[in-house]
DNA sequence: GACCAACGTTGGTTCCACCAACGTACTGAA
DNA sequence: TTCAGTACGTTGGTGGAACCAACGTTGGTC
C-alpha cells in the first residue's frame, strides 16, 4: 500500500475474498484519513451516526447495531462523552443499562462526519457508474444478509 | 460480530464503504478460521501462494505483489523459513537481495491452503449465482485498478 | 428464593497495516 | 570516478479493528 501495485499476485487477484479485502482496506484508509480531520475514528462515527439518526440507546444495543463489541463500545463512548458529543445516563427503567444520547454538538459532528463520509464514498466509487454502484450495493447487501442471520 | 445482527445501522447500511467493510470483515474471519487449521495466517498464505505460482522472488518484490509492507514480509518469511516451507538465499547477482523460494513442503502447503481458500470462497459466495459472482469480481477489480495506479 | 441471562466494565490478545531509521549494496550523473 | 540518490533487508516501534474471558450488578423466571 506504500506504492502503486505493479501487478497483483497471480491467482489471488481474481479471488473475491482478496478483492474484498483489498477494496475494504482501501476504503478504510480513505475513511480513516477523512475522519482524522475530525480527530475521531471509525468506531466513533458508527456510534455517533446511529445515535443521531435513531435516537438514544443502551450501549449493548449500540454495539449490536454497529457491530462493535460491548467492551469496545465502552471505550468509544468514553471518548465521545469526554468531548461532550454524547451523554451517558443511567436508565431509570433498567438499572443495568446506560442510556446514551447524542448532544447537539454530537449531532453536529455526526453531520460533519457524514459529509466527510459522502465525499470519501464518491472518491471510492469514482470509477463506477450509478447503476454499477447500485449493483455493488445490492450484491454486498445480499452477501451480508445471508451471513448475518444464522 | 458475536451474534446475529438484529438490524443494521439506519443510514449506514446502504453505504458502500460500510458494506465493503462488513463483507471483508466477514470474509477475513472465515479465512482466518480456515487458515488456523494450518497454523498459518493471511500474510503467510499470500506469500506462499505467490511463491508457489510465480516462482522465487526477492522480499521487496514479494511485498509489492502481496501488498505487504517490507518489514512485515521479514517476519512472515522468518516464520515460513522456520517451518521449512520456504528457503532464504542471498542473491548472487545483487547482494542486497534475498531470493525466497518455496520448498516442496511449501508448495504442498500452498496447495492445501489453496483448497481451504476455495472452500471459504464458496461459503462466502453461497448466496450469489455464478453470474452475480462474476459481476462482483468485475466491479471490485475495476475499483481496485482505478485506485491502485495513481 | 434460586437460576440464568443481560448489562457495563476491566484487561487482556491477535491480526493487519504502516512508519522511521539504520547499515549495506547498487546505480546513475556529475 | 567519485558522490548522491535509491533500493534492500532488518529492527523496533505505532495504532486501529475485532474479539474473548471474567467480574459484579441487575432483571426476569421457574
Amino acid at each position: 500500500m506504500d506504492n502503486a501495485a505493479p501487478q497483483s499476485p497471480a491467482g489471488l487477484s481474481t479471488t473475491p475474498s482478496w478483492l474484498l479485502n483489498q477494496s475494504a482496506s482501501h476504503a478504510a484508509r480513505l475513511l480513516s484519513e477523512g475522519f482524522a480531520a475530525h480527530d475521531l475514528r471509525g468506531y466513533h462515527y458508527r456510534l455517533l451516526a446511529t445515535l443521531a439518526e435513531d435516537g438514544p440507546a443502551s450501549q449493548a444495543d449500540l454495539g449490536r447495531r454497529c457491530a462493535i463489541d460491548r467492551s469496545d463500545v465502552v471505550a468509544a463512548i468514553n471518548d465521545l462523552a469526554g468531548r461532550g458529543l454524547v451523554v451517558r445516563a443511567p436508565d431509570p427503567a433498567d438499572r443495568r443499562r446506560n442510556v446514551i444520547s447524542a448532544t447537539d454538538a454530537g449531532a453536529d459532528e455526526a453531520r460533519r462526519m457524514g459529509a466527510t463520509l459522502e465525499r470519501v464514498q464518491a472518491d471510492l466509487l469514482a470509477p463506477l457508474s450509478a447503476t454499477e454502484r447500485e449493483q455493488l450495493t445490492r450484491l454486498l447487501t445480499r452477501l451480508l444478509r445471508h451471513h448475518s442471520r444464522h
Side-chain angles (χ1 to χ4, degrees), chain A residues 67-86:
Chain A
I68 301 178
D69 191 88
R70 296 204 305 280
S71 60
D72 298 319
V73 171
V74 174
I77 294 294
N78 283 346
D79 293 347
L80 293 172
R83 296 167 190 241
L85 302 176
V86 132

Side-chain angles (χ1 to χ4, degrees), chain A residues 70-128:
Chain A
R70 296 204 305 280
S71 60
D72 298 319
V73 171
V74 174
I77 294 294
N78 283 346
D79 293 347
L80 293 172
R83 296 167 190 241
L85 302 176
V86 132
V87 168
R88 191 192 251 124
D91 186 343
D94 184 341
R95 307 219 308 281
R96 291 172 303 179
R97 289 192 172 100
N98 290 333
V99 177
I100 312 296
S101 321
T103 63
D104 288 353
D108 283 357
E109 190 62 72
R111 263 190 300 277
R112 281 190 293 268
M113 292 184 88
T116 296
L117 177 63
E118 295 243 350
R119 196 183 49 71
V120 166
Q121 219 69 254
D123 216 36
L124 182 68
L125 300 181
L128 268 44

